Amino acid sequence: MEALHVNLGENSYDIKFAANFEELAASMMEIGAPKKLLIVTDTNVEKLYAEEVESLLCYAGYDAKVYAFQAGEENKNMDTVLGICGACISHKLDRKSMIVALGGGVVGDMAGFAAAIYMRGIRFVQVPTTLLSQSDSSVGGKTGIDFAGSKNILGAFHQPKLVYINVDTLKTLPPEQFVSGMGEVIKHGIIRNPDFFAFLRDNAENVKSLDTDTLIYMAKINCGIKANVVEKDEKESGLRAILNFGHTIGHAVESAYSFEKTHGACVGLGMIGASYIAFKRGLITEAQLKEIEEVLELYGFECRVKLPDNETVWNFMQKDKKKLKGKLKFVLPVAIGEVMQTTKVTKDEVFAAFEYIGL
Ligand code: GLY
């Protein structure tokens, strides 16, 4: 079985890559999982995979129960986390018990947050079932909820003890969610690994047709890039912020569209905007800018959209929670595979980027 080790001292863990759930129980045994497990999922993923995962864990001798909350980002709140904690109490989870997060990013973030606070912290395992969660949110220990109109504003760093990626679950993912997840995958190539970016360019058909070997290879290289950044800067005091490439403009576009476009679609636009700023500054060539757009296009991204007026999107950008001393932080490519961080991008440069991605 393909695996990758995330080296974070006493918070280290393995990421396993598979095309089914068959080795989940054995992987749980390897990490010394206790008998009592709570599988936390949402009402969408419950219908698809909860029974299979519950029965294979119970068959292996675990006392596993499923708790499903109502699916949707609008339920990523404290009430839902308290519901999960209530289920921990009902299922008599103790300090040694574990939560298994089965689902997409909303499930992983909330199950992880519940695990971070229940009895002052219990262990948890990520079993991500969407491309966004398999490529980004399940790795790195960020957990949390939305509050007072801000996404992920409350939370905790709480690393999982295992991430078990079953790429076969991508077969049930709606196509726009697959594209959304590819935004983070392509981002990882641009920020850190030119060979991976070239692989994505040259293997788009195999990726899009969900060829198992291609997906496992992609997942492993992708998670390796993210894990390497997290290993160097677990709590985001410097380097980890490069993972926000495309997000400064992307989050504002997401808000301007009232979250009607997927996260990845907006990050794709944000990456084009940031790359355009980099091109205008002479940091990358026009050919590199076009290459970034071409790869996004290959995977079905809209590279030009009708944006609301510039001031509206700019105002949403001012609410970015990742501002540094009141200044917007930008991640700009300096090559395919390398980026720089700056707080010195001007309003004019940002408006020119809006014009570039706007119709
Ligand atoms: N998704 C960005 C990070 O994990 O830091």
Side-chain angles (χ1 to χ4, degrees), residues 136 142 226 236 240 243:
D136 185 25
K142 283 188 179 176
K226 168 120 195 215
E236 198 167 320
R240 186 166 177 165
L243 298 172

Side-chain angles (χ1 to χ4, degrees), residues 178-309:
F178 188 81
V179 176
S180 180
M182 281 309 300
E184 303 293 343
V185 178
I186 295 167
K187 178 194 82 179
H188 288 142
I190 299 171
I191 63 171
R192 235 30 202 168
N193 188 329
D195 293 342
F196 185 51
F197 182 80
F199 165 84
L200 295 173
R201 183 194 60 216
D202 299 340
N203 291 275
E205 287 318 312
N206 283 345
V207 172
K208 288 192 287 185
S209 64
L210 306 183
D211 172 68
T212 302
D213 290 344
T214 310
L215 288 181
I216 289 186
Y217 177 82
M218 180 177 91
K220 196 173 168 196
I221 305 294
N222 171 75
C223 289
I225 297 169
K226 168 120 195 215
N228 178 266
V229 172
V230 171
E231 282 170 354
K232 292 191 161 75
D233 178 22
E234 187 184 351
K235 302 272 171 75
E236 198 167 320
S237 48
L239 179 74
R240 186 166 177 165
I242 68 170
L243 298 172
N244 296 323
F245 173 51
H247 287 63
T248 314
I249 292 179
H251 277 147
V253 172
E254 212 176 346
S255 302
Y257 273 106
S258 311
F259 297 92
E260 277 159 18
K261 285 193 184 293
T262 63
H263 175 69
C266 299
V267 168
L269 289 163
M271 289 195 284
I272 296 172
S275 302
Y276 180 74
I277 294 171
F279 160 60
K280 290 307 268 183
R281 287 181 168 208
L283 297 173
I284 58 168
T285 63
E286 186 164 20
Q288 288 169 319
L289 169 66
K290 292 290 169 208
E291 206 183 353
I292 290 171
E293 288 185 49
E294 272 158 27
V295 171
L296 287 165
E297 232 162 33
L298 267 179
Y299 284 93
F301 283 79
E302 276 183 298
C303 294
R304 297 289 179 279
V305 288
K306 187 150 179 37
L307 286 177
D309 65 288

Side-chain angles (χ1 to χ4, degrees), residues 56-76:
L56 67 83
L57 289 173
C58 290
Y59 187 75
Y62 289 104
D63 173 13
K65 288 262 178 321
V66 174
Y67 176 76
F69 61 82
Q70 190 59 43
E73 178 84 28
E74 66 278 15
N75 298 311
K76 194 177 178 186

Side-chain angles (χ1 to χ4, degrees), residues 33-49:
K35 207 166 148 43
K36 247 186 208 304
L37 303 171
L38 182 71
I39 302 166
V40 175
T41 190
D42 68 18
T43 46
N44 289 340
V45 180
E46 182 187 25
K47 293 184 204 106
L48 296 167
Y49 304 116

